[in-house]
Amino acid sequence: MAKRVTGPEIEKLIQLLAKVPGLGPRSARRAALHLVKKKDQLLGPLASAMAEAHQKVRICSCCGNVDTIDPCTVCSDERRDHSVIIVVEDVSDLWALERAGAMNAAYHVLGGTLSPLDGIGPDDLNIRGLIERVGDGRVKEIIIAVNATVEGQTTAHYITGQLSGLGIKVTRLAHGVPVGGELEYLDEGTLTAALRSRTTI
Amino acid sequence: MAKRVTGPEIEKLIQLLAKVPGLGPRSARRAALHLVKKKDQLLGPLASAMAEAHQKVRICSCCGNVDTIDPCTVCSDERRDHSVIIVVEDVSDLWALERAGAMNAAYHVLGGTLSPLDGIGPDDLNIRGLIERVGDGRVKEIIIAVNATVEGQTTAHYITGQLSGLGIKVTRLAHGVPVGGELEYLDEGTLTAALRSRTTI
């Protein structure tokens, strides 16, 4: 803003809101104004929720999930099948897979993918933690659910190598046509994979 | 989420973030995860900024602007020309006009528009406050900068009526082609207004 039209506290709030993914400088202003108008219904509760999350949040020392307890809600859930571990790049992938609700397994968050160009090697990812978890003999299957990108596949290949000889089944997600997807708009790689992995009806 | 995968504090944070304009349920989750990852750089400062704003924010008793002081930064700025008052519907309009930086005037926020269908009459808007401000004899011009909607124009008409006979110049924003706008995509009303108000080059 050219000239100051509001207090520095509100301008600081706008600046910080603009750093939240999904909000830009313009929508941060709109969000701040909405929050300020809903002072007691939204701004106050959100301030408290953020302060509480800031104070309590931790990274699960077992799987790398974000939670307020350690081990996290998933790792300490005894109704889950802890003999199957789904390996994901990021916490958001864990949450996405849980929303699908297809498996009742445990998870392991790598915290990224191998990327030599960015200087990210095996020691920068939570791979050692995975090998340790496998060491207790309880794990029967590792499902590698990394993104279908070059970095993701490189990482999947590296982890598969590390796990070989331990007598554990290592699987990966199927490639194919997304449910609801139109063939016309799919790339050649996906179509080829879908044809190769075709199933009998 | 079908099953709990994280602590209730983080789920509460996601629920509240989803109520912020510009964020939906999905982007709220992404935002929460980002905030939690940037715990000390972003989540903590944002929690403090929100708590401070919640505690300090007030509505200017003179013009209706949102600020942490009363009268607000604009009303208490003696370098502004307080003989000109720009009347706007909402605080966001005040901020938008200030970003343009074209005028060095005072403002008056109505807090909405007349809308009989929604039961919003003159007493629900900050119109009485405007008449009172005009009463001190210092004001020479009122610029009515409401939206170019039916409700906005009805409101403008009502205010003009209230101000008539007080010897004050009442003006409104010009209608015309937006700067950078393409004629092809403009509606007939705008084009007619732009032609009627044509200026010599």
Side-chain angles (χ1 to χ4, degrees):
Chain A
M1 270 168 254
K3 270 175 293 182
R4 286 261 313 280
V5 291
T6 190
E9 297 87 351
I10 297 171
E11 288 194 5
K12 195 180 172 196
L13 176 63
I14 296 171
Q15 274 172 27
L16 287 167
L17 280 172
K19 292 183 185 167
V20 174
L23 297 176
R26 196 171 278 257
S27 46
R29 228 178 287 120
R30 198 161 61 94
L33 213 46
H34 183 83
L35 287 171
V36 155
K37 280 180 190 167
K38 302 230 164 194
K39 200 163 94 82
D40 294 325
Q41 303 99 301
L42 191 53
L43 182 57
L46 197 51
S48 313
M50 282 188 177
E52 198 174 4
H54 178 247
Q55 197 201 323
K56 291 194 180 167
V57 75
R58 20 204 116 298
I59 304 299
C60 176
S61 57
C62 175
C63 77
N65 187 16
V66 162
D67 207 325
T68 45
I69 50 170
D70 183 13
C72 74
T73 308
V74 175
C75 285
S76 56
D77 183 353
E78 280 307 320
R79 288 162 304 173
R80 281 176 189 269
D81 179 3
H82 290 272
S83 73
V84 178
I85 297 179
I86 306 179
V87 178
V88 292
E89 287 177 26
D90 196 272
V91 177
S92 55
D93 301 324
L94 189 168
W95 292 6
L97 286 166
E98 272 302 299
R99 280 199 300 284
M103 296 285 288
N104 191 31
Y107 287 88
H108 193 83
V109 180
L110 295 173
T113 46
L114 294 176
S115 179
L117 286 176
D118 300 319
I120 300 173
D123 292 339
D124 300 307
L125 303 179
N126 190 13
I127 294 178
R128 195 187 305 266
L130 179 64
I131 308 296
E132 277 168 21
R133 287 179 75 181
V134 167
D136 72 356
R138 203 176 160 198
V139 179
K140 295 199 183 89
E141 179 177 357
I142 300 278
I143 305 175
I144 302 183
V146 294
N147 290 333
T149 56
V150 173
E151 292 81 8
Q153 297 311 306
T154 309
T155 310
H157 193 255
Y158 177 84
I159 293 174
T160 309
Q162 295 288 306
L163 294 171
S164 72
L166 295 174
I168 292 164
K169 190 172 159 190
V170 183
T171 54
R172 66 159 178 80
L173 296 184
H175 286 309
V177 179
V179 175
E182 294 183 49
L183 297 192
E184 184 182 357
Y185 300 108
L186 286 174
D187 62 294
E188 291 78 5
T190 302
L191 289 173
T192 306
L195 278 170
R196 281 195 188 144
S197 307
R198 67 192 179 279
T199 54
T200 47
I201 300 174
Chain B
M1 268 169 255
K3 268 175 295 184
R4 284 262 312 281
V5 290
T6 190
E9 298 87 352
I10 297 172
E11 288 193 6
K12 194 180 173 197
L13 177 62
I14 295 172
Q15 272 171 25
L16 287 167
L17 279 171
K19 293 182 185 168
V20 174
L23 297 177
R26 198 170 276 257
S27 46
R29 228 178 286 121
R30 199 162 61 95
L33 213 47
H34 183 83
L35 287 171
V36 155
K37 281 180 188 168
K38 302 230 164 194
K39 197 163 96 80
D40 294 324
Q41 304 99 298
L42 192 52
L43 182 57
L46 197 52
S48 313
M50 283 188 177
E52 199 174 4
H54 178 248
Q55 196 198 326
K56 291 193 180 168
V57 77
R58 20 202 117 298
I59 304 298
C60 176
S61 57
C62 176
C63 78
N65 187 17
V66 162
D67 207 325
T68 46
I69 51 170
D70 182 15
C72 74
T73 309
V74 175
C75 286
S76 56
D77 183 352
E78 280 308 319
R79 289 164 304 175
R80 281 176 190 268
D81 179 3
H82 290 272
S83 72
V84 179
I85 296 179
I86 306 178
V87 178
V88 293
E89 287 178 25
D90 195 273
V91 177
S92 55
D93 301 323
L94 188 168
W95 292 7
L97 286 165
E98 272 302 298
R99 282 199 299 284
M103 297 284 289
N104 191 32
Y107 287 89
H108 193 84
V109 180
L110 295 173
T113 46
L114 294 177
S115 179
L117 285 177
D118 301 318
I120 300 173
D123 292 339
D124 300 307
L125 303 179
N126 189 13
I127 294 177
R128 196 185 304 265
L130 178 65
I131 308 295
E132 277 168 21
R133 287 177 76 181
V134 167
D136 72 355
R138 205 176 157 197
V139 179
K140 294 200 185 87
E141 181 178 355
I142 301 279
I143 305 175
I144 302 184
V146 293
N147 291 331
T149 56
V150 173
E151 291 82 8
Q153 297 311 306
T154 309
T155 310
H157 193 256
Y158 178 83
I159 293 173
T160 310
Q162 294 290 305
L163 294 170
S164 73
L166 295 174
I168 291 164
K169 191 172 158 188
V170 183
T171 55
R172 65 158 179 80
L173 296 184
H175 286 310
V177 179
V179 175
E182 294 184 49
L183 297 193
E184 185 182 355
Y185 300 109
L186 286 174
D187 62 294
E188 290 78 5
T190 303
L191 290 174
T192 306
L195 277 171
R196 283 197 186 141
S197 306
R198 66 193 180 278
T199 53
T200 47
I201 301 172

